[in-house]
Amino acid sequence: MLETHRVLQGIPKKKVVALASTIDLRKGAVDALNELPLTVLSVNWFDNLIAAVINNRTTKKVAIIANHPLSNGDVLNGDLHRTCVTSYDKSWHIAMSNPIHPVIMVGDSLGDLHALLSSDIGIVIGHSSSLLSLSNRVFQLVPLSDYGLFVESSSLPLLYHAPNWDAILSWYHLNNHENEDD
């Protein structure tokens, strides 16, 4: 739709970057950006906007896989280089990542479900009613604080729930104190 209607055509690239300072992140997200080994996967946001949001808040290099708006000089031309279009694309990028450690996917919407289920550890963050409504029908959902204590008791895949980034950081530090630099 963005390309069909050329919604981005004529927008100066510097306006996209300036928009970054107006975007609020969830509580604890900046600490997560600084402390966790992250790759940002997005079907909705542009790579240069994500980079500007991150660069305004941290000096850490974060890998970004997202669509890229094309430009003619300093002005967007309305076209996109599509890298991550669907939730299945997120799953494909996870499968192709070849990580040393287990892949932990954190998602907050229905569009993240396939990638959450494709990862080694899927964490639903926040209180997305559309995503949480599928609990016990499409997946089992247990508190992240119960990680390692819960044994799968049904044929449904297991996802964890965390209310916020602070809970994920606490869990990560408790469970990844060894071999962090591999």
Side-chain angles (χ1 to χ4, degrees), residues 12-23 49 52 56:
K13 288 194 302 188
K14 64 183 176 187
K15 283 199 174 191
V16 173
V17 173
L19 179 64
S21 64
T22 67
I23 295 173
L49 178 59
N56 284 344

Side-chain angles (χ1 to χ4, degrees), residues 99-151:
I100 296 170
H101 299 290
V103 173
I104 301 167
M105 170 67 188
V106 178
D108 67 353
S109 71
L110 201 52
D112 295 320
L113 182 58
H114 196 268
L116 286 163
L117 295 171
S118 300
S119 64
D120 297 310
I121 301 169
I123 302 172
V124 176
I125 187 171
H127 303 286
S128 166
S129 58
S130 59
L131 192 53
L132 294 176
S133 69
L134 297 175
S135 175
N136 297 321
R137 290 186 296 148
V138 177
F139 56 85
Q140 296 176 78
L141 188 67
V142 299
L144 184 57
S145 58
D146 289 349
Y147 178 80
L149 304 174
F150 191 82
V151 178

